Amino acid sequence: MKSFALRAAIVTAGMMMGSAAIGQFTADRVQNTNGFLGGSDARDSDNRYYDEFTVQLSAGQRVRISASRSEGGNLDPYLEIYSPSGGNPIATDDDSGGYPNARLEFTAPGPGTYRIRVRGYSSSSTGPYDLVVEPLAIARAESALQLNAVNQGRFDNSAPSLRPGGPHYRDYNIWLAAGEEILVRLDSSDFDSYLYVYHAGAESGTALASDDDGGTGLNSSLTFRAPRAGVYTIRASQLAHRDGAYVLRMNRLQ
């Protein structure tokens, strides 16, 4: 198994490609290497060739991973990321880098060693590839949310506003599996609360879900089912600018 170790100041990669060893990288540098799928490489349960790498990430740390067909090759690369606890892949991609190349932007839901698997799209897909692992800026958010936790906050002049003199807001990130459904509640006795859900990094676009008074009184409540595995932004906000305390809760639905 090959490995990338990504940290705040130093990126250490200890990997072997044949006899070539990759050394150290600083956190502001792209890490890259190349490989070949085929021959004596491992195969998965569907008989597809694959190589695996590891990357050490802290909670909330973000990376962009790209697997591209090398010039002159025929490989259709496919990317998978596995959590430190193993199991099924928690993120996958086929052609986001432009056919036939794969690309993933991944935010670690927790600390640990994640596995990056580069495989062929099919059992007959073989050939050389280029792999790039690039650190990304951490999405601005108040904190990483955990399911079933109670998050207390307060809006005052230190909180950002949606527009000058407009409603306050704070953003929280949460990692969800594809199809995972959650109940989000925002309660306050000081103001009329408002909830939004976005893909992380797309907070300036259209919300995936929103609610004003779905809870008790002027409190907000919504259910949300993740369309795909990834990091989502839960935005706690208000209908109109006003200081005050709030409680944000989120629970998984069965």
Side-chain angles (χ1 to χ4, degrees), residues 11-241:
V11 179
T12 304
M15 72 180 71
M16 296 296 295
M17 285 293 183
S19 60
I22 307 298
Q24 289 188 337
F25 297 83
T26 60
D28 59 351
R29 289 180 58 192
V30 173
Q31 306 150 88
N32 61 82
T33 190
N34 52 68
F36 185 94
L37 292 181
S40 60
D41 280 342
R43 293 178 182 254
D44 64 13
S45 59
D46 291 314
N47 207 35
R48 297 168 299 206
Y49 289 107
Y50 70 87
D51 282 340
E52 281 193 348
F53 302 79
T54 62
V55 58
Q56 183 72 30
L57 299 172
S58 58
Q61 195 163 13
R62 301 178 65 226
V63 289
R64 179 186 293 122
I65 305 165
S66 303
S68 305
R69 174 191 292 175
S70 296
E71 185 175 355
N74 295 309
L75 177 70
D76 184 355
Y78 194 98
L79 278 171
E80 297 175 337
I81 298 180
Y82 294 82
S83 74
S85 58
N88 294 323
I90 58 175
T92 64
D93 186 74
D94 181 15
D95 296 328
S96 291
Y99 178 81
N101 304 316
R103 177 175 292 171
L104 273 171
E105 292 191 1
F106 177 72
T107 303
T113 301
Y114 292 80
R115 286 185 294 138
I116 300 169
R117 177 174 290 189
V118 183
R119 67 166 173 84
Y121 180 78
S122 66
S123 60
S124 61
S125 187
T126 63
Y129 65 87
D130 300 309
L131 179 67
V132 178
V133 179
E134 176 185 1
L136 297 176
I138 296 174
R140 181 181 57 77
E142 185 71 12
S143 66
L145 284 174
Q146 299 294 325
L147 290 171
N148 306 316
V150 176
N151 300 271
Q152 297 182 336
R154 181 176 179 81
F155 289 140
D156 52 32
N157 289 335
S158 67
S161 297
L162 294 174
R163 57 184 180 275
H168 293 298
Y169 74 93
R170 282 198 173 92
D171 287 346
Y172 299 79
N173 284 347
I174 179 70
W175 187 91
L176 298 174
E180 189 167 13
E181 190 172 20
I182 57 173
L183 170 66
V184 187
R185 292 175 294 161
L186 180 62
D187 299 325
S188 177
S189 59
D190 297 325
F191 54 82
D192 187 351
S193 65
Y194 213 115
L195 274 171
Y196 302 87
V197 182
Y198 299 91
H199 286 298
E203 294 83 5
S204 60
T206 302
L208 298 172
S210 62
D211 181 74
D212 179 14
D213 297 330
T216 303
L218 298 179
N219 294 317
S220 303
S221 178
L222 62 81
T223 59
F224 175 72
R225 184 185 296 273
R228 64 174 185 260
V231 179
Y232 294 85
T233 296
I234 308 297
R235 173 166 289 179
S237 188
Q238 50 189 185
L239 188 63
H241 177 99

